[in-house]
């Protein structure tokens, strides 16, 4: 299993890339990195492979200068092409067991799950961590299935790999997740849609650190 | 360089997969295989990775039973996941040199080109064949750049790998391409949109064989 010492606490997922606002997009991500995010995932479902690849290369270099790993969503080929730190797949992507075969043992593999069954299978298939959600109602597409927070607790009991909660997480509701001992929270708009991106990342980071020190 | 003995003559490109009409789609492809197509490419840009992968597996097995290689469009990860025979990339996909690194020396690599410069670079980058077009006006998106047929001749002069013409090719205009010694023709609707798919493939196959025997 890869990279046991990855810090999953504040996991930023980037979405809605628009090449017409590239500089604005990069600026926000740098602010989030300045604010202390611990992990970065790139989603770019509707870009050409070439644009996705060029963007991913730039993000990888930017994240690396902060010692933050870059995880590529869905596209295993893009992850291989730029030798990214890891790959994240959902239940509608390539099967996790096949992905693990393709990427080898060293890259981080994350799998989206919304049930105990999916979680147990993902761990067996070689996942290094799970993205579990949606824990709260969200406007972001793709994580639409709302789960009970008790399912999060059941998953935590059944698997030994880190569990990252995702979906509709805000500065206010994050406490409910900390009470359930999640290893990290994955957010999009809680950081990227805020007026002060850096401060939003810092605040979330502080909350996660405090929770960690109480364990 | 991979698979020097690939037969590029009648290269069927499949498009517009609709999971609601899966059986109809597979039936047409089997008819085209019965009609003697020599190579098969799967494009499925708007499907999830999981659907693309499952479809590609089925097509690979079907094509293999006819000893016809399956080439995957754009998605190098899907090609790796099912150990497909090859991969085809366009100018908006991953760079050919990177693709060659990822797939290794044995898989067939095709690259779409519309100029001599792109063709020469693709050969240098490790392409096994070129898809050159659009040679004729077409309604199919993605191969929109119309090239002069003289550019096809110039490309044939500058590269030593097989050249497959693509874009708007019909039973009627294919003769113009044969006069320019293309190694194959890639078609979508000239086969798949015909009432008798098998017969359309047979007719095209006959024309390509006759041209080949005159060389
Ligand atoms: Ni799309």
């Amino acid at each position: 299993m890869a990279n046991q010492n990855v810090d999953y606490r504040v996991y930023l997922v980037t979405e809605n890339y628009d090449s017409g606002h590239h500089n604005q997009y990069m600026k926000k991500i740098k602010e989030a990195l300045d604010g202390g995010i611990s992990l970065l995932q790139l989603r770019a479902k509707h870009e050409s492979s070439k644009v996705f690849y060029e963007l991913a290369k730039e993000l990888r270099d930017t994240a690396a200068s902060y010692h933050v790993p870059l995880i590529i969503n869905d596209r295993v080929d893009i992850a291989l092409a730029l030798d990214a730190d890891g790959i994240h797949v959902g239940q509608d992507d390539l099967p996790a067991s096949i992905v693990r075969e393709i990427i080898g043992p060293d890259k981080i593999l994350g799998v989206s799950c919304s049930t105990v069954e999916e979680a147990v299978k993902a761990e067996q298939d070689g996942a290094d961590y799970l993205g579990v959600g949606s824990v709260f109602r969200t406007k972001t597409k793709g994580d639409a299935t709302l789960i009970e927070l008790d399912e999060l607790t059941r998953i935590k009991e059944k698997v030994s790999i880190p569990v990252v909660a995702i979906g509709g997480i805000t500065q206010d509701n994050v406490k409910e997740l900390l009470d359930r001992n999640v290893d990290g929270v994955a957010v999009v708009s809680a950081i990227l849609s805020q007026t002060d991106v850096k401060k939003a990342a810092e605040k979330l980071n502080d909350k996660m650190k405090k929770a960690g020190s109480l364990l």
Side-chain angles (χ1 to χ4, degrees), chain A:
Chain A
M1 212 67 69
N3 296 278
Q4 296 289 8
N5 55 356
V6 175
D7 181 353
Y8 291 97
R9 280 181 291 191
V10 183
Y11 189 169
L12 181 67
V13 178
T14 73
E15 284 198 329
N16 301 324
Y17 176 69
D18 171 1
S19 58
H21 297 87
H22 178 79
N23 292 345
Q24 169 81 356
Y25 175 93
M26 288 303 299
K27 183 170 169 283
K28 281 192 178 186
I29 288 169
K30 277 177 204 157
E31 286 169 8
L33 286 161
D34 284 331
I37 61 165
S38 59
L39 202 56
L40 180 63
Q41 181 184 136
L42 173 59
R43 285 186 191 171
K45 293 255 183 217
H46 289 277
E47 301 305 321
S48 72
S49 296
K50 187 182 179 179
V51 168
F52 195 160
Y53 170 67
E54 295 295 341
L55 175 62
K57 270 203 298 189
E58 187 171 352
L59 280 186
R60 177 202 56 191
D61 294 345
T62 303
S65 71
Y66 290 82
H67 307 286
V68 166
L70 176 69
I71 310 290
I72 301 294
N73 184 273
D74 181 19
R75 291 292 301 269
V76 181
D77 47 358
I78 306 278
L80 290 175
L82 54 100
D83 196 19
D85 303 284
I87 177 89
H88 186 96
V89 290
Q91 299 291 325
D92 287 332
D93 298 334
L94 282 173
S97 56
I98 305 273
V99 175
R100 178 53 83 195
E101 273 181 42
I102 298 176
I103 64 177
D106 293 334
K107 286 194 192 301
I108 305 165
L109 174 59
V111 178
S112 297
C113 305
S114 55
T115 66
V116 171
E117 291 69 27
E118 286 175 357
V120 169
K121 181 163 196 322
E123 184 174 34
Q124 285 168 353
D125 286 348
D128 291 304
Y129 77 89
L130 305 177
V132 176
S134 251
V135 289
F136 300 114
R137 233 167 261 289
T138 168
K139 287 171 197 163
T140 314
K141 281 178 200 168
D143 308 302
T145 328
L146 191 68
I147 67 163
E148 290 175 21
L149 292 189
D150 284 346
E151 191 74 0
L152 196 60
T153 303
R154 287 189 286 269
I155 288 171
K156 276 292 293 178
E157 282 165 6
K158 291 288 186 185
V159 303
S160 58
I161 51 178
V163 169
V164 177
I166 187 166
I169 299 169
T170 66
Q171 302 282 351
D172 297 324
N173 64 22
V174 69
K175 195 187 165 299
E176 294 182 59
L177 302 170
L178 298 177
D179 292 344
R180 293 182 187 255
N181 293 328
V182 298
D183 301 278
V185 293
V187 298
V188 184
S189 52
I191 290 180
L192 292 178
S193 300
Q194 306 310 307
T195 319
D196 192 333
V197 168
K198 184 183 168 192
K199 200 171 165 188
E202 279 172 350
K203 269 178 72 178
L204 206 51
N205 200 16
D206 282 349
K207 287 179 189 174
M208 295 306 290
K209 272 191 183 149
K210 272 181 202 149
S213 68
L214 297 178
L215 288 181

